[in-house]
Amino acid sequence: MGVEIKGSRVSAEEFADMEHFVREYLAASVESEDDGGRMRWYPWHSAEYRFNHILNVVEIAETIAAKEGADTDVVRVSALFHDVSKLEAEQDVHAEEGARVARQYLETHGDYPESFVAEVCSAIEDHSFQGPVTDLSLETQCLIEADLLDKVGANGTTLMILRMGYEARTHMDTAEMVQRVLERGREHASRVESDAAESIAHERIKRVKWFREWLEDEVREMSHDREFDEI
């Protein structure tokens, strides 16, 4: 067991090793499925998308943690492992499975204090919590808010447009699909509580609104029914 040192850090090299492990774990999860894996026909259920999502969440979570005074080490490590089991476990247990994988990794790679491992695993276990984020630790709150925000904005819009192709929709349906992103963005934004997360949500929702307005300006027969609420 490591020495209990408050504020212990995870080195850049150690974090890079963790990233490599998570990437390989996701790839192995897909390869182990004979039929291509659970819902793998959508690109966002691929190992490549899932790992990119994880890196996005790490970046957003670190930004929120730094501004809100959370333990950045706990936040970034828990963000890195939060969806490690997403492609092999059912949705309702992927958080617990992710925490199990993270604990096994941290206990066998390095000499991390038990308190640090416990905080990381707790954040991972609770990242799918649907109640008020303020009921949880600040570190878990940062992770949940980052996970929500990655689905908002330009990234969420792009994913929805990709989905249109899989549903054989035409570009004339784009306004409807982007409206879904906007509505989901507002829903996610209503859950975040920290000032840092609210600021990010505000900017990302604005980008979605601008995108739909640009579409309506450039596609003549697209509906001009703009029912945007003020942010």
Side-chain angles (χ1 to χ4, degrees), residues 8-158:
S8 62
R9 307 293 297 172
V10 177
S11 71
E13 181 179 0
E14 289 171 330
F15 196 74
D17 288 342
M18 292 179 193
E19 284 188 348
H20 178 75
F21 171 82
V22 170
R23 181 195 289 269
E24 292 300 308
Y25 195 97
L26 291 169
S29 297
V30 174
E31 291 170 1
S32 67
E33 295 284 353
D34 293 334
D35 60 356
R38 182 173 58 89
M39 297 181 69
R40 215 75 73 214
W41 53 87
Y42 278 161
W44 45 95
H45 288 284
S46 68
E48 292 79 10
Y49 165 73
R50 186 54 48 187
F51 186 65
N52 184 70
H53 163 70
I54 286 171
L55 294 184
N56 290 345
V57 173
V58 169
E59 183 176 355
I60 299 168
E62 283 186 296
T63 298
I64 297 172
K67 293 182 178 179
E68 298 297 328
D71 186 322
T72 305
D73 285 332
V74 170
V75 170
R76 66 184 183 134
V77 174
S78 62
L80 184 60
F81 280 93
H82 83 281
D83 270 357
V84 69
S85 294
K86 185 82 169 183
L87 302 181
E88 67 174 1
E90 294 301 320
Q91 173 64 21
D92 59 348
V93 296
H94 86 278
E96 292 82 355
E97 283 299 301
R100 180 188 61 77
V101 173
R103 173 171 286 280
Q104 184 177 41
Y105 180 94
L106 294 173
E107 289 181 343
T108 56
H109 295 74
D111 194 25
Y112 302 105
E114 169 56 29
S115 59
F116 173 77
V117 175
E119 288 182 70
V120 167
C121 293
S122 177
I124 297 170
E125 286 178 356
D126 291 335
H127 86 268
S128 294
F129 179 68
Q130 296 302 307
V133 295
T134 49
D135 288 352
L136 305 170
S137 71
L138 180 57
E139 289 71 30
T140 306
Q141 178 178 329
C142 292
L143 171 55
I144 292 175
E145 290 180 335
D147 198 22
L148 290 169
L149 292 174
D150 185 49
K151 303 175 181 71
V152 180
N155 188 37
T157 303
T158 300

